[in-house]
Amino acid sequence: MNSVIRIPSPRKVIDRRELVQTLDKLVEAHGPSKARKFVVEALRSAQEAGRVEIARRLVENPSAGHEVAEAQAFLTDQLIRVIHDYVVQYVYPASNRSKGERLTVMAVGGYGRGEMAPHSDVDIAFLTPIKNTPWCEQVIEAMLYFLWDLGLKVGHSSRSLDDMVRMSKSDLTIRTAMLEGRYVWGDQELYEEARQRFWKDVVSGTERQFVVEKLAERDERHKRMGDSRYVVEPNVKEGKGSLRDLHTLYWIGKYIHKVRDPSELVSVGLLTRKEYLSFRRAENFFWAVRCHLHTITRRAEDRLTFDLQREVASRMNFSDRPGKSAVERFMQMFFLQAKVVGNLTGVFLAQLDEQFAKKQPRGLLAGFRAKERMVKGYKVFGGRIKAPSDDWFTQDPVRLIEIFVIADREGFEIHPETMRLISRDATLIKDEVRHDKRANELFMDLLTSRNHPETVLRWFNEAGVFGRFVTEFGRVNAQMQFDMYHHYTVDEHTIRAIGLMSRIEKGELKQDHPLAHDIVHKVRSRRVLYLAVLLHDIAKGRDGDHSVLGAEIARKLCPRFGLDEEETDLVSWLVRQHLLLSATAFKRDLSDGKTISNFVEVVQSLDRLRQLTLLTIVDIRAVGPGTWNSWKRQLIGELYAATEERLRLGHAEFGREKRVAAKKAAVAALSPESAALIEKIGTKFIDAYWIAESEDVIAKNLAQLEAAEALAHALSIHTEYYPAHGATLVTVIASDHPGLFYRIAGGIHLAGGNIIDARIHTTRTGRAVDNFLVQDPLGRPFMEEAQLERLRTSIENALANRIKILPQLVAKPDARPRADAFEVRPRVLFDNKASNRFTVVEVNARDRPALLNRLAYALFESRLMVHSAHIATYGERAADTFYVTDLLGEKLTSTNRLKALERRLLEAASEHSAEEAAA
């Protein structure tokens, strides 16, 4: 590799000649022994001036990643050269050195490549011909002290040539670092000898092994970083599709073909010229992002966290557009580059495979190689399908879709050379192809495939054909959503959702999704189902409601895909309503008959209900790991069952009285003890209680109430793990008084719990029986006795006023500290039509430990009774819904009162109010 880094106007970064003259003058003035302090100052000011100049260049040209990274390495080179010469000349001068007293300084690792971010480590190797002599050791030590005095983080090694060879052979990391070794200063002949020995003694004959080990290392790194290119807080250095993946390609190319820089990957046939330019563009973009990250944080920060994304987007001159913020546009660019890296990796490795395959044994064994065969005009060899000629797709662009359908149907992979052709020829897809009947039939075959649609659709997308054939899908390619709820870009989320639907249909997810498993084969049209999944988020990033805009896009696209009018109407309706079922299940009281009748009014048919349920399940599950849990499964199942009953019978099966009687009978059937308790204390509970709670919870409540009364306990707190809901059930029985709810909520939050559901009841004798479902901030139940005890103690302390709830809640750290990067404007919605008996109050705000307690306190101050609370969180955003009445049990209808309540709740939801109240 060329040891000299060439950058524009190098002397503006650092003028080595001038710096050397300055040091000579300092030695002249103070003498070699006393000059050190002044020398360090001179070096420091040269380093600082260089950094300032490099930072200026980054501001002036915020996308110049390579230029800035190279300038940083150039500055480091010059400082090391000056320090080396100073040490050898003034600190440890040696007039006639022996053959063993030779030293060469090599840059290794990233620094060896001649690229560094502002706070990267400086990796250097000191090489000596034989074991270190005292003079060599002194020089190395003196140099290191100077580098440390400059505040550099130095990764160093000092080895003899034999050591270097031995350790490179045994350790992959050392071998990779030495692979990028670059001469910086010192004995040039020694460097040349080291280079030749490395290639002859270390590399020769180990090429295949190196490739295998490097790829295994890459896979391990991807797993560690979240195995997707589309993680919303990506690591620009180590993540999938990042700088390290590009470096891996270069290392492999260098190890096998001795390429000196990435441009030579073209001449050795691993990349085409166009692919190499894509390589450089992606690398340049990632280097720019990495340099900005280091500059902003003033440290070696390579994670593009939410709070830094905005800042980097602004520095790189991204601006807002209708429907897309600057940060979303910047991250879309980031993911498009990551996708390019993924494609390059694919073609590069496949090309490498080909090169290795050509070196297979000749002679006797050569005849045993598999023969090529033809399938529908395509060549097939070794499980790979290949276009027969360079102009195959030019002759008929519909083949760009056909090849993926054949690959899916026959279980083939697409040959990398053909993938290259497809990417090159994707531009042939114009309106004529988009409206071609056969092309659309092939596309629908691919989308509704019973094999592995997720895998092939991902290839289809990464080859650039998907976005050209369905241009609306092209618009959401690499589109991220700037929040903590969505883990993937829109295209990746959509393809994952299609994959999940396919797995549900094949019966692979029966355990996770029993309801979906039961109904998936009952829908009237599979085409409708898969198209609804494809199109549900198609209008994200446009100006307006993506459900409404998406429904319009569906109306336009479905006839093109061959759907009839009825099917088109259904797809459009599903896209329009794709959030309805989850909003109803998670934010409304499912035991309130009006919730069900309002939902039935919109859904209207069993087929629509089934399709919407399936779409909702895969949509939530494909958001990311951890977003689906048994509590959500329970709520969706309850809503489905209640709606199906209404749709089948045209009404609820029983009136209120019969429903209460049926529930009592079901509880009595659980055990003789439960039946006896119903007889004894069942009359203390009003009808609403029997309708709202499930049989097993009622049985637990009856036993607890009876025990509390028998022991004359004014307060009874019961906590237990409740596997059916994947949560912890907390039941508090106490004398009912205003403010009970907000105090219990505060106690639960102080114990580290998040309330996901609350049902508040008062018996006819004035006792409060309140049931809460609680999870930890990561959505897991409390199960251990120590945790359950902590919950009980904390609630007891809160109710007995032994602790000041609010100051402690405000002081409690946020479970998601990075939520600060998001602004969530508090909103309050009132709905008097959602229930016959209650006013439904929904508050949207940024999630934080004190939120529910504050809102409950505001309702208490407004002299309102809370009958149930339903809490849903979407990343950093919380949606808390309360079913309330006034103290007389009436709905809130006065406009003035609603306005006053809205003001109070907005005040409670805003962050500063909690801090002021706590002060």
Side-chain angles (χ1 to χ4, degrees), residues 635-647:
L635 291 174
I636 287 173
E638 275 179 35
L639 177 56
Y640 180 86
T643 310
E644 187 195 38
E645 177 188 274
R646 289 274 181 104
L647 288 167

Side-chain angles (χ1 to χ4, degrees), residues 291-475:
C291 290
H292 284 295
L293 283 173
H294 282 215
T295 309
I296 294 162
T297 59
R298 296 167 186 254
R299 62 173 190 271
E301 176 58 82
D302 296 318
R303 264 188 72 209
L304 197 47
T305 52
F306 291 124
D307 46 336
L308 293 169
Q309 287 172 12
R310 268 210 179 98
E311 174 86 11
V312 177
S314 148
R315 284 174 179 238
M316 290 184 75
N317 297 337
F318 283 83
S319 53
D320 292 347
R321 292 276 188 278
K324 255 185 213 176
S325 64
V327 69
E328 285 175 339
R329 292 183 63 236
F330 161 64
M331 290 306 292
Q332 184 165 22
M333 180 65 167
F334 185 96
F335 290 123
L336 284 171
Q337 295 304 331
K339 189 173 157 189
V340 164
V341 175
N343 293 351
L344 287 174
T345 304
V347 294
F348 178 98
L349 294 179
Q351 205 58 47
L352 197 64
D353 254 5
E354 290 287 295
Q355 291 187 358
F356 276 151
K358 283 174 188 163
K359 292 178 187 167
Q360 289 296 332
R362 305 226 181 303
L364 279 175
L365 295 173
F368 288 110
R369 289 184 64 189
K371 291 277 181 284
E372 209 166 61
R373 61 193 176 101
M374 300 298 283
V375 174
K376 303 210 167 167
Y378 293 88
K379 292 178 177 176
V380 174
F381 173 75
R384 285 176 171 171
I385 185 168
K386 188 176 179 182
S389 63
D390 188 69
D391 62 349
W392 179 252
F393 299 114
T394 318
Q395 292 170 27
D396 179 5
V398 174
R399 288 171 175 164
L400 287 163
I401 300 148
E402 176 190 58
I403 188 168
F404 289 96
V405 177
I406 296 170
D408 173 67
R409 197 177 295 148
E410 305 288 338
F412 297 147
E413 279 185 28
I414 295 173
H415 193 283
E417 278 177 24
T418 301
M419 271 305 238
R420 278 180 174 162
L421 284 184
I422 293 168
S423 297
R424 183 196 74 187
D425 293 343
T427 48
L428 297 171
I429 295 179
K430 305 223 168 13
D431 272 350
E432 192 185 329
V433 180
R434 288 183 200 113
H435 291 95
D436 181 278
K437 187 167 182 285
R438 181 164 166 266
N440 284 290
E441 282 169 359
L442 286 166
F443 174 72
M444 286 305 291
D445 283 352
L446 193 57
L447 178 66
T448 59
S449 156
R450 293 183 188 272
N451 301 313
H452 299 286
E454 180 177 358
T455 307
V456 184
L457 284 171
R458 197 170 274 116
W459 298 343
F460 193 56
N461 190 29
E462 294 190 343
V465 182
F466 205 157
R468 290 205 173 259
F469 187 67
V470 185
T471 51
E472 293 79 0
F473 191 76
R475 281 186 66 164

Side-chain angles (χ1 to χ4, degrees), residues 44-118:
R44 234 182 237 145
S45 52
Q47 178 193 28
E48 189 48 39
R51 282 183 169 172
V52 167
E53 169 61 19
I54 293 168
R56 186 194 65 74
R57 292 182 183 191
L58 184 60
V59 170
E60 200 173 88
N61 192 349
S63 302
H66 281 126
E67 193 183 308
V68 172
E70 284 160 5
Q72 195 70 43
F74 173 80
L75 172 63
T76 309
D77 274 5
Q78 301 305 328
L79 289 169
I80 287 175
R81 288 171 182 183
V82 170
I83 289 169
H84 172 277
D85 290 354
Y86 177 81
V87 170
V88 170
Q89 191 176 345
Y90 294 118
V91 185
Y92 294 110
S95 48
N96 52 347
R97 284 188 259 159
S98 68
K99 272 191 177 176
E101 291 178 323
R102 290 155 63 207
L103 179 68
T104 188
V105 183
M106 262 172 87
V108 292
Y111 173 38
R113 254 190 333 273
E115 295 168 325
M116 294 174 83

Side-chain angles (χ1 to χ4, degrees), residues 742 803-811 848 850-851 853-855 857-858 861 904-919:
Y742 87 81
I803 46 171
K804 286 202 170 352
I805 297 174
L806 191 59
Q808 289 201 34
L809 279 177
V810 171
R848 60 183 196 281
L851 180 65
N853 170 269
R854 289 280 74 210
L855 297 175
Y857 186 68
E861 280 189 314
R904 199 167 248 166
L905 287 169
L906 285 173
E907 179 64 21
S910 70
E911 322 245 339
H912 61 84
S913 71
E915 281 155 28
E916 282 165 16

Side-chain angles (χ1 to χ4, degrees), residues 715 717 719 730 732 743-744 747-748 751 772 790-800:
L715 174 65
I717 302 168
T719 55
V730 176
V732 180
R743 287 176 198 281
I744 296 171
I748 288 171
F772 297 87
R790 189 170 78 228
L791 270 172
R792 289 193 289 270
T793 310
S794 187
I795 295 167
E796 202 175 321
N797 288 341
L799 290 176

